[in-house]
């Protein structure tokens, strides 16, 4: 009887721990979904209002300088709105596979560079879908967007080649532009966010390589293992 009672006590304790963890996980999931909805509804609505007001201001401004200022406000609000939607996508979707991830990369390339002749080359073209963890999705996807934004803001060209290589254990993306280039050794003052890219690579046990020189264009390669 004593052994049976001990087994029941241990079993009950284990079940209590499991149930407690399940409850906490459900609560965390509800909180994550609520944050995503709040971001989408409240902040998204405010940004949309800023875009609308800046359009009206630009149309009715009497001078070129004011119209230029309103246009800059509109672009900033649109960029913030796109960034917010990506963050909502990252935190709202608990399960995202490699197929969905690559599709999102294609969409971001089209929106950020806005060049119909720049496409995302994927090698191999046919690949096995697999689930991706939030840490991987967050840092690889945001690093990809940051590199594209660097091309848009600093390269003085939006023409680029963008390639994603999928290996059995890792993903690698390479962005090559034929722009003005820069000196990576002077990255602290370059505004290219290299320290941030290095930090993201470190967080996912990945690697970052930047090849650039003034007048020679820039090539950025970022790779990360699927499991870390």
């Amino acid at each position: 009887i004593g052994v049976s009672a001990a087994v029941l006590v241990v079993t009950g304790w284990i079940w209590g721990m499991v149930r407690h963890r399940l409850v906490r996980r459900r609560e965390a999931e509800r909180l994550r979904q609520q944050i995503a909805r709040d971001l989408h509804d409240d902040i998204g609505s405010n940004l949309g209002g800023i875009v609308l007001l800046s359009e009206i201001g630009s149309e009715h401004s009497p001078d070129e300088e004011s119209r230029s200022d309103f246009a800059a406000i509109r672009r900033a609000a649109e960029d913030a709105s796109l960034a917010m939607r990506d963050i909502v996508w990252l935190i709202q979707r608990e399960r995202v596979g490699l197929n969905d991830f690559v599709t999102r990369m294609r969409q971001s390339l089209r929106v950020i560079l806005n060049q119909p002749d720049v496409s995302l080359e994927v090698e191999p073209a046919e690949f096995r879908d697999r689930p991706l963890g939030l840490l991987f999705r967050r840092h690889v996807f945001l690093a990809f967007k940051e590199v594209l934004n660097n091309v848009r803001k600093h390269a003085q060209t939006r023409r680029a080649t963008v390639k994603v290589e999928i290996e059995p254990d890792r993903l690698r993306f390479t962005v090559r532009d034929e722009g003005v280039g820069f000196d990576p050794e002077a990255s602290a003052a370059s505004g290219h966010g290299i320290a941030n890219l290095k930090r993201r690579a470190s967080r996912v046990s990945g690697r970052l390589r930047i090849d650039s020189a003034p007048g020679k264009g820039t090539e950025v390669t970022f790779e990360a293992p699927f499991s870390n």
Side-chain angles (χ1 to χ4, degrees):
I1 297 176
V3 172
S4 299
V7 170
L8 288 174
V9 169
V10 171
T11 302
W13 178 78
I14 293 174
W15 167 243
M17 291 291 294
V18 171
R19 185 174 181 275
H20 178 68
R21 289 182 179 180
L22 289 173
V23 170
R24 291 188 62 183
R25 183 174 180 180
R26 285 195 294 269
E27 290 175 348
E29 176 60 23
R30 283 196 296 267
L31 178 61
R32 182 170 65 176
Q33 296 294 335
Q34 184 61 53
I35 291 172
R37 285 193 296 270
D38 289 345
L39 282 171
H40 182 272
D41 296 340
D42 297 339
I43 299 178
S45 177
N46 291 337
L47 289 171
I50 293 172
V51 170
L52 179 59
L53 289 173
S54 62
E55 288 178 348
I56 295 173
S58 180
E59 291 174 359
H60 294 85
S61 293
D63 59 275
E64 182 62 30
E65 183 178 358
S66 295
R67 287 193 293 271
S68 177
D69 290 341
F70 277 114
I73 293 171
R74 176 184 175 181
R75 287 193 298 270
E78 289 174 339
D79 287 347
S81 181
L82 289 172
M84 184 210 62
R85 285 202 290 268
D86 287 334
I87 291 172
V88 169
W89 173 74
L90 283 171
I91 66 176
Q92 193 173 37
R93 294 284 302 278
E94 182 177 5
R95 299 182 183 277
V96 173
L98 186 56
N99 278 326
D100 288 340
F101 189 80
V102 172
T103 297
R104 196 74 179 195
M105 294 176 80
R106 290 187 192 278
Q107 293 171 350
S108 294
L109 172 62
R110 184 167 59 250
V111 169
I112 294 173
L113 294 189
N114 193 26
Q115 285 286 345
D117 58 341
V118 177
S119 60
L120 186 72
E121 178 188 355
V122 181
E123 185 179 300
E126 300 292 332
F127 54 87
R128 180 177 63 86
D129 196 17
R130 59 181 299 159
L132 300 176
L134 178 59
L135 189 71
F136 176 95
R137 298 189 333 250
R138 175 189 171 195
H139 289 291
V140 176
F141 181 69
L142 293 181
F144 180 70
K145 286 189 61 181
E146 185 158 355
V147 173
L148 294 180
N149 276 309
N150 282 339
V151 174
R152 186 182 70 170
K153 295 175 181 178
H154 303 296
Q156 298 182 23
T157 179
R158 294 195 181 185
R159 299 184 63 84
T161 58
V162 185
K163 184 176 183 179
V164 172
E165 298 171 272
I166 299 171
E167 298 182 359
D169 64 336
R170 66 188 55 239
L171 179 145
R172 180 186 306 107
F173 71 77
T174 302
V175 178
R176 169 72 187 177
D177 69 72
E178 304 298 331
V180 297
F182 68 102
D183 180 5
E185 297 298 323
S187 61
S190 69
H192 289 75
I194 294 178
N196 196 39
L197 289 172
K198 289 180 178 178
R199 180 181 62 82
R200 293 196 184 282
S202 176
R203 289 296 302 275
V204 291
S205 303
R207 292 191 297 177
L208 172 73
R209 187 178 73 248
I210 300 175
D211 295 320
S212 185
K216 302 293 185 181
T218 302
E219 181 177 279
V220 178
T221 301
F222 187 105
E223 69 173 55
F226 292 121
S227 299
N228 52 71

